Amino acid sequence: MRRRHILAALAAPALVPAAARAQGNYPTRSITLIVPWAPGGSNDVVARLVAPLLGERLGQSVVVENRAGGGGSIGMGQVVRARPDGYTLLVSSASNHVFHALVSPDLGYDVREALSGIAMMVDVPNVLAVNPALGVSSVPELLAKIRAAPGGLSFGSSGIASSNHLAGELFRMMTKVDLTHVPYRGGGPVATDLSAGVIPMAFMNLPTVIGPADAGRIRIIGVGTEERVRFRPDIPTIAEQGLPGYSVRSWTGLFAPRGTPRPIIDRLAEAMRQALDNATVKTRLTDLASEPIWMAPDATDTFVRAEFDRWGPVVRAANVTTG
């Protein structure tokens, strides 16, 4: 009997499930970060900034892959359907994760249940920007221009039900001006067309527009935060320019398919915490007028649920649909 117990103890490691052994060795190959927007947008910028540092800490390459379309739902759906093994992750935003999900009941899944939070990464201010040729430098001047134009003006955003789209709809509701929404497949294309004068104005994430604005191709006339962004205090808020109570923010976070083992999620969360704590990353984010806001996995899930509760009534009031 004693001999059988000894043999069983020696054989125990062989009985450990392969999945458990894989968790202990994770990662053993490259990891893909899916960005559900076109290259050049704020999510893409952040993903490419942290990917090399994540790779260093995890000991494997971390690749960024853009899967744009459907208001971010195409890339998000790819991650939802992926094997929950930590090798396909989502760099998500308020736009696709909350806003688009609220207006798209036909996604086929509940985002809050289908994806597990790994870490909240970055807080991203929204801004109102115009083409310099429009000849306005403030919100009151823009409102006068819109009211003087037959049929009003069009505004660009990174997609239907994106945070940028909601920022525009809230602006329209509060000012009662005529605005026509022009959705794009990400912030990069919006910046390109705004710079070229294809669209006269746009609501965008500040990291996407800061470069073209500094180069003089785009003019930022207001930021959508409650208070001025501490990294760019020169930009007045939209609220202080005659729209008290106006506030729209975005964010970027890292998520995994539901069912991903907790040890893998915890390792990824710690690697992201270290990446965001890197001095170079902090400096770069400051240059982009963004702020690292790392949250642990459970806190990230709680934050997402609070976002749904906060924005559900706003989306319904704006009557935003995907149709």
Side-chain angles (χ1 to χ4, degrees), residues 145-168:
K145 182 76 70 171
I146 296 172
R147 291 181 175 122
L153 296 179
S154 60
F155 74 93
S157 85
S158 56
I160 294 175
S162 66
S163 63
N164 308 144
H165 179 194
L166 265 292

Side-chain angles (χ1 to χ4, degrees), residues 94-182:
S95 293
N96 59 275
H97 212 93
V98 178
F99 299 139
H100 189 81
L102 283 169
V103 303
S104 303
D106 58 347
L107 283 177
Y109 55 85
D110 184 333
V111 175
R112 292 161 288 188
E113 301 299 329
L115 293 164
S116 294
I118 296 173
M120 192 55 55
M121 299 160 58
V122 177
D123 189 23
V124 186
N126 281 4
V127 298
L128 169 55
V130 299
N131 182 283
L134 192 62
V136 302
S137 301
S138 68
V139 170
E141 290 177 359
L142 175 63
L143 291 174
K145 182 76 70 171
I146 296 172
R147 291 181 175 122
L153 296 179
S154 60
F155 74 93
S157 85
S158 56
I160 294 175
S162 66
S163 63
N164 308 144
H165 179 194
L166 265 292
E169 293 295 344
L170 185 60
F171 185 85
R172 178 185 61 79
M173 290 169 57
M174 293 181 69
T175 59
K176 297 180 172 55
V177 294
D178 291 327
L179 291 175
T180 301
H181 178 223
V182 181

